[in-house]
PDB file of all heavy atoms in Angstrom:
ATOM      1  N   ARG M  81      -4.198  21.604 -46.867  1.00  0.00           N
ATOM      2  CA  ARG M  81      -3.182  20.896 -46.087  1.00  0.00           C
ATOM      3  C   ARG M  81      -2.703  21.809 -44.963  1.00  0.00           C
ATOM      4  O   ARG M  81      -2.605  23.028 -45.149  1.00  0.00           O
ATOM      5  CB  ARG M  81      -2.001  20.494 -46.969  1.00  0.00           C
ATOM      6  CG  ARG M  81      -0.948  19.660 -46.240  1.00  0.00           C
ATOM      7  CD  ARG M  81       0.096  19.113 -47.197  1.00  0.00           C
ATOM      8  NE  ARG M  81       1.157  18.423 -46.488  1.00  0.00           N
ATOM      9  CZ  ARG M  81       2.199  17.828 -47.078  1.00  0.00           C
ATOM     10  NH1 ARG M  81       2.299  17.835 -48.402  1.00  0.00           N
ATOM     11  NH2 ARG M  81       3.127  17.229 -46.354  1.00  0.00           N
ATOM     12  N   SER M  82      -2.435  21.225 -43.806  1.00  0.00           N
ATOM     13  CA  SER M  82      -2.072  22.014 -42.626  1.00  0.00           C
ATOM     14  C   SER M  82      -0.716  21.632 -42.060  1.00  0.00           C
ATOM     15  O   SER M  82      -0.286  20.480 -42.175  1.00  0.00           O
ATOM     16  CB  SER M  82      -3.135  21.850 -41.523  1.00  0.00           C
ATOM     17  OG  SER M  82      -4.383  22.328 -41.948  1.00  0.00           O
ATOM     18  N   PHE M  83      -0.081  22.616 -41.414  1.00  0.00           N
ATOM     19  CA  PHE M  83       1.206  22.431 -40.755  1.00  0.00           C
ATOM     20  C   PHE M  83       1.189  23.173 -39.428  1.00  0.00           C
ATOM     21  O   PHE M  83       0.549  24.218 -39.299  1.00  0.00           O
ATOM     22  CB  PHE M  83       2.356  22.983 -41.603  1.00  0.00           C
ATOM     23  CG  PHE M  83       2.517  22.326 -42.939  1.00  0.00           C
ATOM     24  CD1 PHE M  83       1.862  22.827 -44.053  1.00  0.00           C
ATOM     25  CD2 PHE M  83       3.312  21.193 -43.086  1.00  0.00           C
ATOM     26  CE1 PHE M  83       1.994  22.233 -45.294  1.00  0.00           C
ATOM     27  CE2 PHE M  83       3.449  20.588 -44.321  1.00  0.00           C
ATOM     28  CZ  PHE M  83       2.791  21.103 -45.429  1.00  0.00           C
ATOM     29  N   VAL M  84       1.906  22.634 -38.447  1.00  0.00           N
ATOM     30  CA  VAL M  84       2.059  23.296 -37.153  1.00  0.00           C
ATOM     31  C   VAL M  84       3.420  23.966 -37.093  1.00  0.00           C
ATOM     32  O   VAL M  84       4.436  23.357 -37.429  1.00  0.00           O
ATOM     33  CB  VAL M  84       1.912  22.295 -35.994  1.00  0.00           C
ATOM     34  CG1 VAL M  84       2.215  22.965 -34.658  1.00  0.00           C
ATOM     35  CG2 VAL M  84       0.512  21.698 -35.988  1.00  0.00           C
ATOM     36  N   ALA M  85       3.429  25.245 -36.682  1.00  0.00           N
ATOM     37  CA  ALA M  85       4.674  25.997 -36.509  1.00  0.00           C
ATOM     38  C   ALA M  85       4.824  26.383 -35.047  1.00  0.00           C
ATOM     39  O   ALA M  85       3.835  26.738 -34.392  1.00  0.00           O
ATOM     40  CB  ALA M  85       4.684  27.251 -37.377  1.00  0.00           C
ATOM     41  N   PRO M  86       6.033  26.322 -34.496  1.00  0.00           N
ATOM     42  CA  PRO M  86       6.232  26.664 -33.085  1.00  0.00           C
ATOM     43  C   PRO M  86       6.170  28.164 -32.851  1.00  0.00           C
ATOM     44  O   PRO M  86       6.334  28.965 -33.777  1.00  0.00           O
ATOM     45  CB  PRO M  86       7.633  26.120 -32.794  1.00  0.00           C
ATOM     46  CG  PRO M  86       8.333  26.211 -34.112  1.00  0.00           C
ATOM     47  CD  PRO M  86       7.286  25.895 -35.148  1.00  0.00           C
ATOM     48  N   ALA M  87       5.929  28.567 -31.603  1.00  0.00           N
ATOM     49  CA  ALA M  87       5.962  29.981 -31.236  1.00  0.00           C
ATOM     50  C   ALA M  87       7.322  30.567 -31.593  1.00  0.00           C
ATOM     51  O   ALA M  87       8.347  29.906 -31.456  1.00  0.00           O
ATOM     52  CB  ALA M  87       5.695  30.152 -29.743  1.00  0.00           C
ATOM     53  N   GLY M  88       7.323  31.795 -32.088  1.00  0.00           N
ATOM     54  CA  GLY M  88       8.560  32.452 -32.477  1.00  0.00           C
ATOM     55  C   GLY M  88       8.976  32.187 -33.909  1.00  0.00           C
ATOM     56  O   GLY M  88       9.937  32.784 -34.400  1.00  0.00           O
ATOM     57  N   TRP M  89       8.239  31.284 -34.598  1.00  0.00           N
ATOM     58  CA  TRP M  89       8.599  30.960 -35.984  1.00  0.00           C
ATOM     59  C   TRP M  89       8.341  32.144 -36.893  1.00  0.00           C
ATOM     60  O   TRP M  89       7.377  32.896 -36.728  1.00  0.00           O
ATOM     61  CB  TRP M  89       7.774  29.770 -36.467  1.00  0.00           C
ATOM     62  CG  TRP M  89       8.174  29.258 -37.832  1.00  0.00           C
ATOM     63  CD1 TRP M  89       9.107  28.308 -38.108  1.00  0.00           C
ATOM     64  CD2 TRP M  89       7.630  29.667 -39.096  1.00  0.00           C
ATOM     65  NE1 TRP M  89       9.192  28.102 -39.478  1.00  0.00           N
ATOM     66  CE2 TRP M  89       8.296  28.920 -40.101  1.00  0.00           C
ATOM     67  CE3 TRP M  89       6.655  30.591 -39.474  1.00  0.00           C
ATOM     68  CZ2 TRP M  89       8.021  29.077 -41.455  1.00  0.00           C
ATOM     69  CZ3 TRP M  89       6.376  30.752 -40.817  1.00  0.00           C
ATOM     70  CH2 TRP M  89       7.061  29.998 -41.792  1.00  0.00           C
ATOM     71  N   SER M  90       9.204  32.344 -37.875  1.00  0.00           N
ATOM     72  CA  SER M  90       8.974  33.372 -38.885  1.00  0.00           C
ATOM     73  C   SER M  90       9.380  32.842 -40.250  1.00  0.00           C
ATOM     74  O   SER M  90      10.295  32.011 -40.363  1.00  0.00           O
ATOM     75  CB  SER M  90       9.745  34.658 -38.563  1.00  0.00           C
ATOM     76  OG  SER M  90      11.148  34.441 -38.589  1.00  0.00           O
ATOM     77  N   GLY M  91       8.693  33.293 -41.259  1.00  0.00           N
ATOM     78  CA  GLY M  91       8.990  32.844 -42.610  1.00  0.00           C
ATOM     79  C   GLY M  91       7.949  33.334 -43.583  1.00  0.00           C
ATOM     80  O   GLY M  91       7.118  34.202 -43.264  1.00  0.00           O
ATOM     81  N   ARG M  92       7.957  32.766 -44.783  1.00  0.00           N
ATOM     82  CA  ARG M  92       7.037  33.194 -45.834  1.00  0.00           C
ATOM     83  C   ARG M  92       6.488  32.017 -46.610  1.00  0.00           C
ATOM     84  O   ARG M  92       7.105  30.952 -46.676  1.00  0.00           O
ATOM     85  CB  ARG M  92       7.743  34.158 -46.794  1.00  0.00           C
ATOM     86  CG  ARG M  92       9.035  33.603 -47.396  1.00  0.00           C
ATOM     87  CD  ARG M  92       9.678  34.564 -48.401  1.00  0.00           C
ATOM     88  NE  ARG M  92       9.887  35.883 -47.833  1.00  0.00           N
ATOM     89  CZ  ARG M  92      10.389  36.915 -48.527  1.00  0.00           C
ATOM     90  NH1 ARG M  92      10.718  36.751 -49.801  1.00  0.00           N
ATOM     91  NH2 ARG M  92      10.565  38.086 -47.954  1.00  0.00           N
ATOM     92  N   PHE M  93       5.307  32.243 -47.188  1.00  0.00           N
ATOM     93  CA  PHE M  93       4.641  31.254 -48.024  1.00  0.00           C
ATOM     94  C   PHE M  93       4.304  31.889 -49.367  1.00  0.00           C
ATOM     95  O   PHE M  93       4.053  33.095 -49.452  1.00  0.00           O
ATOM     96  CB  PHE M  93       3.336  30.775 -47.371  1.00  0.00           C
ATOM     97  CG  PHE M  93       3.456  30.335 -45.937  1.00  0.00           C
ATOM     98  CD1 PHE M  93       2.675  30.921 -44.939  1.00  0.00           C
ATOM     99  CD2 PHE M  93       4.344  29.330 -45.581  1.00  0.00           C
ATOM    100  CE1 PHE M  93       2.770  30.515 -43.622  1.00  0.00           C
ATOM    101  CE2 PHE M  93       4.445  28.910 -44.257  1.00  0.00           C
ATOM    102  CZ  PHE M  93       3.661  29.499 -43.281  1.00  0.00           C
ATOM    103  N   TRP M  94       4.235  31.088 -50.394  1.00  0.00           N
ATOM    104  CA  TRP M  94       3.801  31.563 -51.699  1.00  0.00           C
ATOM    105  C   TRP M  94       3.274  30.384 -52.503  1.00  0.00           C
ATOM    106  O   TRP M  94       3.456  29.225 -52.125  1.00  0.00           O
ATOM    107  CB  TRP M  94       4.945  32.245 -52.449  1.00  0.00           C
ATOM    108  CG  TRP M  94       6.063  31.332 -52.888  1.00  0.00           C
ATOM    109  CD1 TRP M  94       6.234  30.753 -54.116  1.00  0.00           C
ATOM    110  CD2 TRP M  94       7.174  30.881 -52.081  1.00  0.00           C
ATOM    111  NE1 TRP M  94       7.372  29.978 -54.136  1.00  0.00           N
ATOM    112  CE2 TRP M  94       7.974  30.036 -52.895  1.00  0.00           C
ATOM    113  CE3 TRP M  94       7.572  31.104 -50.752  1.00  0.00           C
ATOM    114  CZ2 TRP M  94       9.132  29.419 -52.425  1.00  0.00           C
ATOM    115  CZ3 TRP M  94       8.722  30.491 -50.288  1.00  0.00           C
ATOM    116  CH2 TRP M  94       9.499  29.665 -51.111  1.00  0.00           C
ATOM    117  N   GLY M  95       2.624  30.695 -53.608  1.00  0.00           N
ATOM    118  CA  GLY M  95       2.111  29.642 -54.469  1.00  0.00           C
ATOM    119  C   GLY M  95       2.850  29.611 -55.794  1.00  0.00           C
ATOM    120  O   GLY M  95       3.021  30.651 -56.442  1.00  0.00           O
ATOM    121  N   ARG M  96       3.287  28.430 -56.186  1.00  0.00           N
ATOM    122  CA  ARG M  96       3.924  28.245 -57.500  1.00  0.00           C
ATOM    123  C   ARG M  96       2.876  27.760 -58.484  1.00  0.00           C
ATOM    124  O   ARG M  96       2.020  26.937 -58.133  1.00  0.00           O
ATOM    125  CB  ARG M  96       5.064  27.223 -57.397  1.00  0.00           C
ATOM    126  CG  ARG M  96       6.227  27.661 -56.518  1.00  0.00           C
ATOM    127  CD  ARG M  96       7.214  26.528 -56.261  1.00  0.00           C
ATOM    128  NE  ARG M  96       6.652  25.530 -55.355  1.00  0.00           N
ATOM    129  CZ  ARG M  96       7.240  24.384 -55.061  1.00  0.00           C
ATOM    130  NH1 ARG M  96       8.397  24.063 -55.628  1.00  0.00           N
ATOM    131  NH2 ARG M  96       6.669  23.553 -54.214  1.00  0.00           N
ATOM    132  N   THR M  97       2.946  28.255 -59.704  1.00  0.00           N
ATOM    133  CA  THR M  97       1.966  27.867 -60.718  1.00  0.00           C
ATOM    134  C   THR M  97       2.663  27.396 -61.983  1.00  0.00           C
ATOM    135  O   THR M  97       3.850  27.681 -62.205  1.00  0.00           O
ATOM    136  CB  THR M  97       1.033  29.043 -61.060  1.00  0.00           C
ATOM    137  OG1 THR M  97       1.784  30.091 -61.703  1.00  0.00           O
ATOM    138  CG2 THR M  97       0.373  29.594 -59.806  1.00  0.00           C
ATOM    139  N   GLY M  98       1.887  26.686 -62.803  1.00  0.00           N
ATOM    140  CA  GLY M  98       2.420  26.187 -64.063  1.00  0.00           C
ATOM    141  C   GLY M  98       3.576  25.234 -63.882  1.00  0.00           C
ATOM    142  O   GLY M  98       4.526  25.244 -64.666  1.00  0.00           O
ATOM    143  N   CYS M  99       3.486  24.401 -62.879  1.00  0.00           N
ATOM    144  CA  CYS M  99       4.601  23.499 -62.559  1.00  0.00           C
ATOM    145  C   CYS M  99       4.497  22.178 -63.318  1.00  0.00           C
ATOM    146  O   CYS M  99       3.401  21.683 -63.573  1.00  0.00           O
ATOM    147  CB  CYS M  99       4.642  23.209 -61.061  1.00  0.00           C
ATOM    148  SG  CYS M  99       4.767  24.678 -60.023  1.00  0.00           S
ATOM    149  N   THR M 100       5.648  21.637 -63.615  1.00  0.00           N
ATOM    150  CA  THR M 100       5.731  20.304 -64.196  1.00  0.00           C
ATOM    151  C   THR M 100       6.755  19.513 -63.414  1.00  0.00           C
ATOM    152  O   THR M 100       7.938  19.866 -63.407  1.00  0.00           O
ATOM    153  CB  THR M 100       6.142  20.357 -65.680  1.00  0.00           C
ATOM    154  OG1 THR M 100       5.194  21.151 -66.401  1.00  0.00           O
ATOM    155  CG2 THR M 100       6.177  18.953 -66.271  1.00  0.00           C
TER     156      THR M 100
END
Side-chain angles (χ1 to χ4, degrees):
R81 184 172 175 179
S82 298
F83 299 91
V84 174
W89 186 90
S90 64
R92 55 177 54 183
F93 310 124
W94 68 97
R96 295 170 288 173
T97 66
C99 303
T100 302

